[in-house]
Amino acid sequence: MTNTVPVNALDRHIAPIASQLDKAAAQVISSGYFVLGPNVKAFEKEFAAWCGAAECVSVANGTEALELGLRSLGVTSGKAVAVVGNAAMYGTTAVLACGAEPVFVDVDPITCTMDPKALEAVLAKRRIDVVIVTHLYGKLADMAALTLLAEKHGFALFEDCAQAHGAKDAQGRKAGTFGAAASFSFYPTKNLGALGDGGAVVTNDAQVADTLRKLRQYGWTAKYRNELAGGRNSRLDEIQAAFLRVMLPLLDGWNERRRSIANRYSTEIRNARIATPPPSGDDFVAHLYVVHTEDRSGLQSHLASHGVNSEIHYPVPDYRQPLFSDTFASTQLPVTDRSCTSVLTLPCFPELTDAEVTQVIEACNAW
Ligand SMILES: *Cc1c(COP(=O)(O)O)cnc(C)c1O
Protein backbone atom coordinates (compact mmCIF):
# COMPACT_ATOMS: atom_id res chain seq x y z
CA MET A 1 0.00 0.00 0.00
CA THR A 2 1.30 3.44 -0.93
CA ASN A 3 1.32 6.30 1.55
CA THR A 4 -1.85 8.26 2.22
CA VAL A 5 -2.20 11.47 0.20
CA PRO A 6 -3.18 14.26 2.61
CA VAL A 7 -5.58 17.10 1.76
CA ASN A 8 -2.90 19.54 2.88
CA ALA A 9 0.60 19.34 4.41
CA LEU A 10 1.97 22.56 5.88
CA ASP A 11 5.16 20.85 7.07
CA ARG A 12 6.09 20.21 3.43
CA HIS A 13 5.12 23.76 2.53
CA ILE A 14 7.33 25.35 5.17
CA ALA A 15 10.37 23.05 5.08
CA PRO A 16 12.06 24.63 2.00
CA ILE A 17 11.82 28.14 3.48
CA ALA A 18 12.42 27.30 7.14
CA SER A 19 15.86 28.90 7.33
CA GLN A 20 14.62 32.13 5.72
CA LEU A 21 11.76 32.21 8.22
CA ASP A 22 14.18 31.60 11.09
CA LYS A 23 16.25 34.55 9.93
CA ALA A 24 13.19 36.79 9.59
CA ALA A 25 12.01 35.84 13.09
CA ALA A 26 15.45 36.49 14.57
CA GLN A 27 15.52 39.95 13.00
CA VAL A 28 12.13 40.85 14.47
CA ILE A 29 13.10 39.50 17.89
CA SER A 30 16.25 41.59 18.04
CA SER A 31 14.61 44.70 16.55
CA GLY A 32 12.40 45.47 19.53
CA TYR A 33 9.44 46.28 17.23
CA PHE A 34 6.57 43.81 17.56
CA VAL A 35 3.35 45.60 16.60
CA LEU A 36 2.73 48.04 13.71
CA GLY A 37 6.43 48.35 12.95
CA PRO A 38 8.56 48.38 9.80
CA ASN A 39 7.65 44.87 8.59
CA VAL A 40 3.92 45.59 8.73
CA LYS A 41 4.45 48.83 6.87
CA ALA A 42 6.61 47.17 4.22
CA PHE A 43 4.32 44.17 3.82
CA GLU A 44 1.26 46.40 3.35
CA LYS A 45 3.08 48.26 0.61
CA GLU A 46 4.32 45.08 -1.07
CA PHE A 47 0.95 43.33 -0.89
CA ALA A 48 -0.98 46.35 -2.22
CA ALA A 49 1.44 46.53 -5.15
CA TRP A 50 1.20 42.79 -5.76
CA CYS A 51 -2.61 43.04 -5.87
CA GLY A 52 -2.55 46.16 -8.00
CA ALA A 53 -4.39 48.17 -5.32
CA ALA A 54 -3.53 51.58 -3.92
CA GLU A 55 -3.81 50.69 -0.25
CA CYS A 56 -3.48 47.70 2.07
CA VAL A 57 -4.41 47.80 5.75
CA SER A 58 -3.39 44.65 7.63
CA VAL A 59 -5.50 43.28 10.48
CA ALA A 60 -5.54 40.29 12.82
CA ASN A 61 -7.39 37.76 10.63
CA GLY A 62 -9.62 37.36 7.59
CA THR A 63 -12.89 37.49 9.51
CA GLU A 64 -12.02 40.87 11.04
CA ALA A 65 -10.82 42.02 7.62
CA LEU A 66 -14.35 41.27 6.43
CA GLU A 67 -16.06 42.92 9.39
CA LEU A 68 -13.89 46.04 9.58
CA GLY A 69 -13.95 46.27 5.79
CA LEU A 70 -17.74 46.31 5.84
CA ARG A 71 -17.75 48.88 8.66
CA SER A 72 -15.39 51.08 6.66
CA LEU A 73 -18.06 51.09 3.91
CA GLY A 74 -20.66 52.23 6.42
CA VAL A 75 -22.32 48.88 7.19
CA THR A 76 -24.18 49.14 10.52
CA SER A 77 -27.53 48.01 11.90
CA GLY A 78 -30.33 48.72 9.47
CA LYS A 79 -28.20 47.91 6.42
CA ALA A 80 -28.75 44.89 4.20
CA VAL A 81 -25.76 42.92 2.92
CA ALA A 82 -26.12 40.23 0.24
CA VAL A 83 -23.96 37.12 0.76
CA VAL A 84 -23.67 33.62 -0.61
CA GLY A 85 -24.72 30.78 1.68
CA ASN A 86 -22.01 28.26 0.69
CA ALA A 87 -18.90 29.94 2.11
CA ALA A 88 -18.67 28.62 5.66
CA MET A 89 -20.35 31.54 7.44
CA TYR A 90 -17.35 33.91 7.16
CA GLY A 91 -19.17 36.69 5.34
CA THR A 92 -22.37 36.09 7.26
CA THR A 93 -20.53 36.27 10.60
CA ALA A 94 -19.05 39.63 9.60
CA VAL A 95 -22.45 40.99 8.55
CA LEU A 96 -23.95 39.91 11.88
CA ALA A 97 -21.01 41.43 13.78
CA CYS A 98 -21.83 44.77 12.13
CA GLY A 99 -25.43 44.41 13.31
CA ALA A 100 -26.61 44.30 9.69
CA GLU A 101 -28.98 41.90 7.96
CA PRO A 102 -27.60 39.10 5.76
CA VAL A 103 -29.59 38.45 2.58
CA PHE A 104 -28.69 35.13 0.98
CA VAL A 105 -28.14 34.79 -2.76
CA ASP A 106 -27.79 31.55 -4.72
CA VAL A 107 -24.65 30.50 -6.57
CA ASP A 108 -23.76 29.24 -10.02
CA PRO A 109 -23.76 25.42 -10.12
CA ILE A 110 -20.40 25.16 -11.92
CA THR A 111 -18.31 27.91 -10.31
CA CYS A 112 -20.04 27.89 -6.91
CA THR A 113 -19.69 31.71 -6.80
CA MET A 114 -22.55 34.22 -6.63
CA ASP A 115 -24.97 33.91 -9.55
CA PRO A 116 -25.55 37.43 -10.95
CA LYS A 117 -29.03 36.39 -12.12
CA ALA A 118 -29.98 35.29 -8.62
CA LEU A 119 -28.68 38.59 -7.26
CA GLU A 120 -30.69 40.48 -9.85
CA ALA A 121 -33.84 38.67 -8.71
CA VAL A 122 -33.17 39.77 -5.11
CA LEU A 123 -32.50 43.36 -6.22
CA ALA A 124 -35.85 43.41 -8.04
CA LYS A 125 -37.54 42.90 -4.68
CA ARG A 126 -35.54 44.89 -2.17
CA ARG A 127 -32.76 47.36 -1.46
CA ILE A 128 -29.27 45.95 -0.86
CA ASP A 129 -26.52 48.23 0.50
CA VAL A 130 -23.45 46.05 0.06
CA VAL A 131 -22.80 42.77 -1.76
CA ILE A 132 -20.06 40.44 -0.51
CA VAL A 133 -18.61 38.48 -3.41
CA THR A 134 -16.66 35.42 -2.26
CA HIS A 135 -14.15 34.11 -4.79
CA LEU A 136 -14.79 30.61 -3.49
CA TYR A 137 -12.16 27.87 -3.84
CA GLY A 138 -9.89 30.44 -5.52
CA LYS A 139 -12.14 31.11 -8.53
CA LEU A 140 -12.73 34.70 -9.53
CA ALA A 141 -16.48 35.35 -9.49
CA ASP A 142 -18.27 36.85 -12.51
CA MET A 143 -17.02 40.36 -11.79
CA ALA A 144 -18.08 41.83 -15.14
CA ALA A 145 -21.75 41.00 -14.51
CA LEU A 146 -21.63 41.89 -10.82
CA THR A 147 -19.95 45.24 -11.51
CA LEU A 148 -22.68 46.11 -14.02
CA LEU A 149 -25.33 45.32 -11.39
CA ALA A 150 -23.49 47.44 -8.81
CA GLU A 151 -23.51 50.41 -11.19
CA LYS A 152 -27.15 49.93 -12.07
CA HIS A 153 -28.44 49.45 -8.52
CA GLY A 154 -26.01 51.59 -6.56
CA PHE A 155 -24.71 49.06 -4.05
CA ALA A 156 -21.06 48.68 -2.99
CA LEU A 157 -19.17 45.52 -3.92
CA PHE A 158 -16.97 43.96 -1.25
CA GLU A 159 -14.74 41.05 -2.32
CA ASP A 160 -13.82 38.22 0.03
CA CYS A 161 -10.47 37.10 -1.39
CA ALA A 162 -9.45 34.80 1.48
CA GLN A 163 -9.16 31.89 -0.98
CA ALA A 164 -8.18 33.82 -4.08
CA HIS A 165 -4.88 35.68 -3.64
CA GLY A 166 -3.74 36.42 -7.18
CA ALA A 167 -6.74 35.16 -9.17
CA LYS A 168 -7.08 37.46 -12.17
CA ASP A 169 -9.31 38.11 -15.15
CA ALA A 170 -8.34 38.01 -18.84
CA GLN A 171 -7.12 41.62 -18.59
CA GLY A 172 -4.83 40.73 -15.68
CA ARG A 173 -6.96 42.52 -13.10
CA LYS A 174 -6.55 40.79 -9.77
CA ALA A 175 -9.06 39.74 -7.11
CA GLY A 176 -9.40 42.57 -4.63
CA THR A 177 -9.37 45.42 -7.14
CA PHE A 178 -12.91 45.23 -8.55
CA GLY A 179 -14.97 46.45 -5.63
CA ALA A 180 -14.95 49.24 -3.06
CA ALA A 181 -12.75 47.14 -0.77
CA ALA A 182 -11.64 43.52 -0.38
CA SER A 183 -10.61 41.24 2.47
CA PHE A 184 -7.82 38.67 2.58
CA SER A 185 -6.91 36.03 5.14
CA PHE A 186 -3.37 34.83 5.83
CA TYR A 187 -4.47 31.84 7.89
CA PRO A 188 -1.74 29.18 7.46
CA THR A 189 -3.60 27.02 4.90
CA LYS A 190 -4.49 29.90 2.56
CA ASN A 191 -2.59 30.39 -0.72
CA LEU A 192 -0.55 33.01 1.16
CA GLY A 193 -0.48 31.86 4.78
CA ALA A 194 1.42 33.12 7.82
CA LEU A 195 2.54 30.94 10.75
CA GLY A 196 -0.52 32.03 12.68
CA ASP A 197 -3.46 34.32 12.06
CA GLY A 198 -3.39 37.37 9.84
CA GLY A 199 -5.56 39.33 7.45
CA ALA A 200 -5.77 42.49 5.37
CA VAL A 201 -8.11 44.78 3.53
CA VAL A 202 -7.08 46.27 0.19
CA THR A 203 -8.79 49.25 -1.43
CA ASN A 204 -8.20 52.04 -3.90
CA ASP A 205 -10.10 54.45 -1.66
CA ALA A 206 -7.81 56.46 0.63
CA GLN A 207 -10.76 57.42 2.85
CA VAL A 208 -11.71 53.77 3.40
CA ALA A 209 -8.09 52.92 4.20
CA ASP A 210 -7.89 55.79 6.68
CA THR A 211 -11.05 54.60 8.44
CA LEU A 212 -9.64 51.06 8.59
CA ARG A 213 -6.39 52.23 10.18
CA LYS A 214 -8.50 53.79 12.93
CA LEU A 215 -10.89 50.86 13.33
CA ARG A 216 -8.05 48.35 13.78
CA GLN A 217 -6.59 50.47 16.57
CA TYR A 218 -9.48 50.95 19.05
CA GLY A 219 -11.27 53.48 16.83
CA TRP A 220 -8.61 56.04 17.75
CA THR A 221 -8.30 59.19 15.67
CA ALA A 222 -5.32 60.12 17.83
CA LYS A 223 -3.66 58.39 20.75
CA TYR A 224 -6.26 57.74 23.49
CA ARG A 225 -8.95 59.56 21.53
CA ASN A 226 -11.69 57.02 20.73
CA GLU A 227 -13.84 58.54 18.06
CA LEU A 228 -15.00 55.78 15.71
CA ALA A 229 -17.69 53.28 16.70
CA GLY A 230 -16.86 49.64 16.01
CA GLY A 231 -13.13 49.98 16.66
CA ARG A 232 -11.11 47.28 18.37
CA ASN A 233 -7.62 45.86 18.53
CA SER A 234 -7.07 44.01 15.25
CA ARG A 235 -3.47 44.11 14.08
CA LEU A 236 -1.06 41.91 12.14
CA ASP A 237 2.02 41.04 14.23
CA GLU A 238 5.43 42.21 13.03
CA ILE A 239 6.67 38.62 13.07
CA GLN A 240 3.82 37.44 10.84
CA ALA A 241 4.39 40.37 8.48
CA ALA A 242 8.07 39.39 8.31
CA PHE A 243 7.11 35.78 7.46
CA LEU A 244 4.64 36.96 4.82
CA ARG A 245 7.34 39.11 3.21
CA VAL A 246 9.49 35.98 2.82
CA MET A 247 6.57 34.15 1.19
CA LEU A 248 5.04 36.79 -1.09
CA PRO A 249 7.71 36.48 -3.82
CA LEU A 250 6.99 32.73 -3.94
CA LEU A 251 3.21 33.05 -4.24
CA ASP A 252 2.98 33.19 -8.04
CA GLY A 253 4.95 29.96 -8.30
CA TRP A 254 2.80 28.25 -5.66
CA ASN A 255 -0.38 29.34 -7.44
CA GLU A 256 1.01 28.08 -10.75
CA ARG A 257 1.72 24.66 -9.24
CA ARG A 258 -1.77 24.51 -7.62
CA ARG A 259 -3.36 25.36 -10.96
CA SER A 260 -1.38 22.74 -12.87
CA ILE A 261 -2.45 20.06 -10.36
CA ALA A 262 -6.08 21.21 -10.68
CA ASN A 263 -5.88 21.12 -14.45
CA ARG A 264 -4.46 17.60 -14.40
CA TYR A 265 -7.44 16.54 -12.29
CA SER A 266 -9.89 18.29 -14.62
CA THR A 267 -8.49 16.63 -17.72
CA GLU A 268 -7.52 13.21 -16.35
CA ILE A 269 -10.35 12.35 -13.94
CA ARG A 270 -12.83 10.50 -16.13
CA ASN A 271 -15.72 9.06 -14.21
CA ALA A 272 -19.37 9.68 -15.10
CA ARG A 273 -20.25 9.85 -11.40
CA ILE A 274 -17.69 12.57 -10.60
CA ALA A 275 -18.29 16.08 -11.96
CA THR A 276 -15.05 18.05 -12.11
CA PRO A 277 -14.66 21.80 -12.63
CA PRO A 278 -13.55 22.69 -16.17
CA PRO A 279 -9.82 23.35 -16.72
CA SER A 280 -9.01 26.95 -15.78
CA GLY A 281 -6.70 29.80 -16.60
CA ASP A 282 -5.46 32.59 -14.37
CA ASP A 283 -8.92 33.28 -12.90
CA PHE A 284 -8.46 30.20 -10.68
CA VAL A 285 -5.70 29.84 -8.07
CA ALA A 286 -6.91 26.40 -6.93
CA HIS A 287 -7.13 27.07 -3.21
CA LEU A 288 -9.40 24.03 -3.07
CA TYR A 289 -10.11 21.48 -5.80
CA VAL A 290 -13.74 20.54 -5.36
CA VAL A 291 -15.67 17.89 -7.29
CA HIS A 292 -19.37 17.05 -7.12
CA THR A 293 -20.93 13.62 -6.79
CA GLU A 294 -24.35 12.23 -5.91
CA ASP A 295 -22.78 9.59 -3.66
CA ARG A 296 -20.32 11.62 -1.63
CA SER A 297 -19.88 9.22 1.26
CA GLY A 298 -19.37 6.38 -1.23
CA LEU A 299 -16.64 8.29 -3.05
CA GLN A 300 -15.04 9.46 0.17
CA SER A 301 -14.71 5.96 1.59
CA HIS A 302 -13.53 4.57 -1.77
CA LEU A 303 -10.80 7.23 -1.89
CA ALA A 304 -9.82 6.52 1.71
CA SER A 305 -9.42 2.83 0.88
CA HIS A 306 -7.10 3.90 -1.97
CA GLY A 307 -4.99 6.07 0.34
CA VAL A 308 -6.53 9.41 -0.65
CA ASN A 309 -7.90 11.79 1.98
CA SER A 310 -10.72 14.19 1.17
CA GLU A 311 -12.76 16.85 2.97
CA ILE A 312 -16.05 18.69 2.64
CA HIS A 313 -16.08 22.45 1.97
CA TYR A 314 -18.72 23.10 3.19
CA PRO A 315 -21.42 20.80 4.53
CA VAL A 316 -24.12 23.20 5.80
CA PRO A 317 -25.53 26.33 4.13
CA ASP A 318 -25.18 29.42 6.33
CA TYR A 319 -28.95 29.92 6.53
CA ARG A 320 -29.35 26.39 7.90
CA GLN A 321 -26.81 26.79 10.72
CA PRO A 322 -28.28 26.02 14.17
CA LEU A 323 -27.44 29.52 15.37
CA PHE A 324 -30.32 30.88 13.32
CA SER A 325 -32.98 28.41 14.57
CA ASP A 326 -35.92 29.37 12.33
CA THR A 327 -34.91 32.90 11.24
CA PHE A 328 -34.24 31.72 7.70
CA ALA A 329 -36.59 28.72 7.72
CA SER A 330 -38.22 29.92 4.50
CA THR A 331 -34.90 30.54 2.70
CA GLN A 332 -34.38 28.07 -0.12
CA LEU A 333 -31.48 28.38 -2.51
CA PRO A 334 -31.71 25.28 -4.70
CA VAL A 335 -28.14 25.30 -6.05
CA THR A 336 -26.58 26.01 -2.65
CA ASP A 337 -28.72 23.37 -0.95
CA ARG A 338 -27.82 20.77 -3.54
CA SER A 339 -24.12 21.57 -3.71
CA CYS A 340 -23.66 21.33 0.06
CA THR A 341 -24.59 17.65 -0.27
CA SER A 342 -22.40 16.94 -3.32
CA VAL A 343 -19.11 18.82 -2.81
CA LEU A 344 -15.92 16.90 -2.05
CA THR A 345 -12.42 18.40 -1.84
CA LEU A 346 -9.47 16.44 -3.27
CA PRO A 347 -5.84 17.00 -2.22
CA CYS A 348 -4.47 20.12 -3.98
CA PHE A 349 -1.49 21.99 -2.58
CA PRO A 350 1.78 23.07 -4.20
CA GLU A 351 3.95 20.38 -2.63
CA LEU A 352 1.92 17.39 -3.85
CA THR A 353 4.17 15.18 -5.95
CA ASP A 354 3.23 14.18 -9.49
CA ALA A 355 3.01 10.58 -8.28
CA GLU A 356 0.51 11.61 -5.60
CA VAL A 357 -1.57 13.49 -8.15
CA THR A 358 -1.58 10.37 -10.31
CA GLN A 359 -2.63 8.30 -7.28
CA VAL A 360 -5.62 10.64 -6.70
CA ILE A 361 -6.63 10.47 -10.39
CA GLU A 362 -6.35 6.69 -10.53
CA ALA A 363 -8.36 6.31 -7.33
CA CYS A 364 -11.14 8.51 -8.77
CA ASN A 365 -11.15 6.64 -12.06
CA ALA A 366 -11.28 3.26 -10.31
CA TRP A 367 -14.53 4.13 -8.48
C1 LIG B 1 -10.53 31.51 5.74
C2 LIG B 1 -11.61 32.35 5.21
C3 LIG B 1 -12.07 33.50 5.88
C4 LIG B 1 -11.67 33.84 7.27
O1 LIG B 1 -10.35 34.02 7.49
P1 LIG B 1 -9.74 33.84 8.98
O2 LIG B 1 -8.38 34.42 8.83
O3 LIG B 1 -9.74 32.38 9.27
O4 LIG B 1 -10.60 34.61 9.90
C5 LIG B 1 -13.01 34.30 5.26
N1 LIG B 1 -13.53 33.98 4.06
C6 LIG B 1 -13.16 32.87 3.40
C7 LIG B 1 -13.76 32.58 2.07
C8 LIG B 1 -12.19 32.02 3.95
O5 LIG B 1 -11.83 30.91 3.29
Side-chain angles (χ1 to χ4, degrees), residues 61-64 66 87 90 134 136 160 162-163 185-187 190 197-198 287 314:
N61 56 66
T63 306
E64 292 187 348
L66 266 160
Y90 300 114
T134 305
L136 197 69
D160 180 355
Q163 304 189 351
S185 166
F186 307 122
Y187 181 76
K190 307 294 184 181
D197 280 308
H287 174 65
Y314 300 91

Side-chain angles (χ1 to χ4, degrees), residues 338-358:
R338 208 172 330 118
S339 73
C340 284
T341 69
S342 65
V343 287
L344 191 66
T345 303
L346 303 182
C348 184
F349 57 92
E351 296 74 25
L352 270 183
T353 66
D354 290 341
E356 286 174 317
V357 176
T358 301

Side-chain angles (χ1 to χ4, degrees), residues 281-303:
D282 290 349
D283 64 334
F284 183 50
V285 291
H287 174 65
L288 296 173
Y289 187 84
V290 175
V291 301
H292 293 256
T293 177
E294 301 270 291
D295 179 15
R296 178 166 66 195
S297 58
L299 176 56
Q300 197 163 24
S301 55
H302 166 85
L303 291 177

Side-chain angles (χ1 to χ4, degrees), residues 43 57 111 130 245 249 256 299 310 313 326 329 366:
F43 173 70
V57 180
T111 63
V130 175
R245 293 184 70 201
E256 200 59 54
L299 176 56
S310 59
H313 299 98
D326 57 4

